[in-house]
Amino acid sequence: EADAGDFRITWNPDDPEDVANARAAFADLRSQQGYTVYKVEGTGRRARREVIREFDPALGAMQLVAVRPNRGG
């Protein structure tokens, strides 16, 4: 799901088809499009963000946000 250049991917960790689709989307965003994927815990100023480099199906219960790379101009 796109939102102003950011993507949110949701999946059910207990559904193999959901996991496969999320894994493919994650790989495409990271390797083909150069997005950085973050795991977000909490909200507002207290939110903690951690870069995720490898897909983990167990993270389906967490918020992951993929951020488009900055382009110089």
Side-chain angles (χ1 to χ4, degrees):
E1 172 183 322
D3 180 21
D6 299 343
F7 281 84
R8 291 176 182 88
I9 302 168
T10 58
W11 68 94
N12 176 350
D14 297 323
D15 181 335
E17 187 174 348
D18 264 9
V19 170
N21 290 335
R23 184 184 306 277
F26 182 91
D28 179 60
L29 287 169
R30 289 260 308 133
S31 64
Q32 300 298 319
Q33 299 185 42
Y35 278 65
T36 300
V37 180
Y38 296 91
K39 172 176 73 171
V40 180
E41 295 183 83
T43 59
R45 291 181 181 206
R46 295 182 185 245
R48 290 184 32 221
R49 296 176 183 97
E50 179 183 338
V51 174
I52 304 299
R53 292 182 172 79
E54 293 186 27
F55 181 80
D56 179 354
L59 293 176
M62 311 219 67
Q63 178 181 2
L64 299 184
V65 178
V67 180
R68 180 184 307 190
N70 290 331
R71 304 270 186 216

